[in-house]
Each structure stands twice: as C-alpha cells, then as structure tokens.
Amino acid sequence: MRVLIVDDSSVMRKIVTRGLRQAGFKIDDILEAGDGQQGLATQGKDKCDLILSDWNMPNMDGLTFVKELRKTGDKTPIVMVTTEGGEAKVAEAIKSGANGHIKKPFTPDTLRATLGQFFK
Amino acid sequence: MNSGDIRQTLLETLRQVILRILETESWKQVTCDPIQRLPAFQLTQEVCGIVQIHGVRRGIVAVTASRRTTAAIISAVTGSEVREMIDEDILDGIAELANMVCGNMKTYANIGGITLTPPMAILGGSFVAQWKTEHPVHQLTFRGRDHTLIVLASV
C-alpha cells in the first residue's frame, strides 16, 4: 500500500505520516507533495493507492487537485484533510470526486475510523 | 446576534477549540486563564502565527509562544527531535497551529460569511509588532505543565 500526502506544510505532512503509523496501517511507502501540481505529477509518475490532501495550498489547491486528477481517469481514493469542516465544503469536495474528509486535529482513532475502509 | 454576542461566541469558541487542539496534539492537563482585555494588539513573543478574518466580521487572531514552547509542541506532534528543529520548522509549525485554531473557530462558531487568510508566521529574538484593530483586543493564556501559549484576538 502506497500513500501520497499532499500538503504545503512539511510539519503537517509529518503529523499525518506519524498518525498513519500510530493508527497501525500497513503501509509500504509514503510519498509527499507540497501542492496540487506536485501531487498530480507525483501520482502520474508513482501511482499511490490512497491520497490524503490538504485543502488550501499555493499553486493548486486541494479541490482543484481532486478535479484535475479525476479528469485523468484516476480513481484512487482521495481523503481531504482540512482545518475547516463545514458541511458545504465537505459536500463540494465529495461532489468533485473526493472520497472522504478528516478534520484537523485528528487522532489515530479518527484515522482508523475514516481510512480503515481503504486499507482492506 | 449583535456585535458583542458575536465577539463572545468567537472568543468562547476559540477557548474551547484551543483546549481541544492542545489536548489532542500534545499537552495534557492544559488550563486557560480568565480572558483578559488588552489595550493593544501587540506581539512580543518570539514566535507568532497570525490569521486575519475577512467578510461580514473582520478581525485578527495571533497564536504566540516562546521558541522553546513552539518546538516542544511541534516535537510532540511530529516525533521530530527539538534539537534538530530549524527556523523553517518553527515557522511552518506555528503557522499550521494558527491555521488549525482559526479554521476550527470558524467551523464551530458557525457565524457564516467569514473567510480566513492563509497564516503568516513571525520568528525573532527581539521585536515588538503592533496592529491597529477594529475591535477590542483580548488575550487567552493557556498553561500546560511546562509551557504557556498566548493567543491574542481582536474579533
């Protein structure tokens, strides 16, 4: 299982990585990208099985990243990791092709509950 | 809601979300002092993360701490060693903390019609920075066992 973390904050990428490890998921490799454009390039080159993406990023935000990736026909599950969890925003992400949503701060339990389905 | 009610809602939501974030991310047994009113929005701590609020309600929130405290928080949530932390880690960490605090405040206060700017971060050994604000300035002081985090809010 390969996971791609798309976030402009290196600290947040470390937090997500640590959370995934603490949640006990069996992960072979974790790749990182600093924005949506890098995320598209990374996924195009080294296809991952699950993508966790921030919402607000420079160059290409998370929502545009989801839309652009889906345009390529890539059906890899994408879970948004955001600080704002309003229902309208979550609905917009799901409508655009995201498969779930995690709100910061999160615990390993939250990650297990939300991401467990993608590790089966 | 009138202006005073909105302020009270935002301040109380801030208090609650910061307690939850600190407890989730790193600190155990964190407490918050009674909210204080300040004469000015003045930053004096070594590390500051700032987010501005735009829209139907304008304001500014700053999360501030010493470098030691900021490094300890980042270390607790990332597993990185404090001694290995460089300036970029401190800036990125305080910015992300401010972003998380204000994003949660916006969600749970549920006021509607407000947007948040991306966070700005400041790191410096000795400086004083002051903003002119539209609303009164309040200070929320959070205390962990060995650390203190101060949040200024003009909302």
Side-chain angles (χ1 to χ4, degrees), chain A residues 55 63 66-67 80 86-98:
Chain A
W55 192 290
L63 190 61
V66 171
K67 290 175 180 172
M80 306 302 288
E87 284 180 19
K89 209 163 183 182
V90 173
E92 189 182 4
I94 300 296
K95 190 180 167 192
S96 300

Side-chain angles (χ1 to χ4, degrees), chain B residues 18-69:
Chain B
I18 294 168
L19 284 171
R20 187 167 59 242
I21 287 169
L22 289 175
E23 284 170 351
T24 303
E25 297 290 13
S26 58
W27 292 5
K28 305 300 174 201
Q29 297 177 332
V30 55
T31 60
C32 180
D33 292 359
I35 296 174
Q36 279 182 285
R37 179 137 174 205
L38 299 183
F41 195 96
Q42 195 172 82
L43 303 179
T44 57
Q45 295 250 21
E46 206 174 355
V47 186
C48 309
I50 302 158
V51 171
Q52 290 185 302
I53 302 165
H54 292 169
V56 296
R57 183 73 172 194
R58 295 197 296 186
I60 182 168
V61 174
V63 178
T64 76
S66 66
R67 184 186 176 110
R68 176 179 154 270
T69 292

Side-chain angles (χ1 to χ4, degrees), chain A residues 10-11 18 84-85 103-104, chain B residues 25 79 92 96 104 106-107:
Chain A
S10 65
V11 165
R18 184 178 161 96
E84 294 176 35
K103 196 163 175 312
K104 307 173 199 172
Chain B
E25 297 290 13
D92 190 26
E96 193 56 43
N104 276 261
K106 179 185 168 187
T107 299

Side-chain angles (χ1 to χ4, degrees), chain A residues 4 14 19 25-28 30-31 34 38-39 46 50 55 59 61-62 68 70 72 76 93 95 100 104 111 117 120:
Chain A
L4 171 61
K14 285 179 189 167
F25 293 127
K26 194 175 175 211
I27 298 171
D28 301 310
I30 295 180
L31 305 185
Q38 287 181 22
D46 300 305
L50 174 65
W55 192 290
N59 302 319
D61 65 23
E68 291 299 315
R70 292 301 182 234
T72 68
T76 304
K95 190 180 167 192
K104 307 173 199 172
L111 294 180
Q117 59 181 310
K120 286 173 184 168

Side-chain angles (χ1 to χ4, degrees), chain B residues 27 44-48 63-75 81-94 122-127 146-149:
Chain B
W27 292 5
T44 57
Q45 295 250 21
E46 206 174 355
V47 186
C48 309
V63 178
T64 76
S66 66
R67 184 186 176 110
R68 176 179 154 270
T69 292
T70 308
I73 292 172
I74 297 169
S75 172
E81 293 287 334
V82 168
R83 65 175 182 278
E84 293 171 0
M85 239 165 260
I86 59 175
D87 287 354
E88 283 72 17
D89 296 324
I90 299 291
L91 287 165
D92 190 26
I94 197 74
I122 300 173
L123 168 62
S126 175
F127 70 87
D146 305 313
H147 299 285
T148 301
L149 184 83

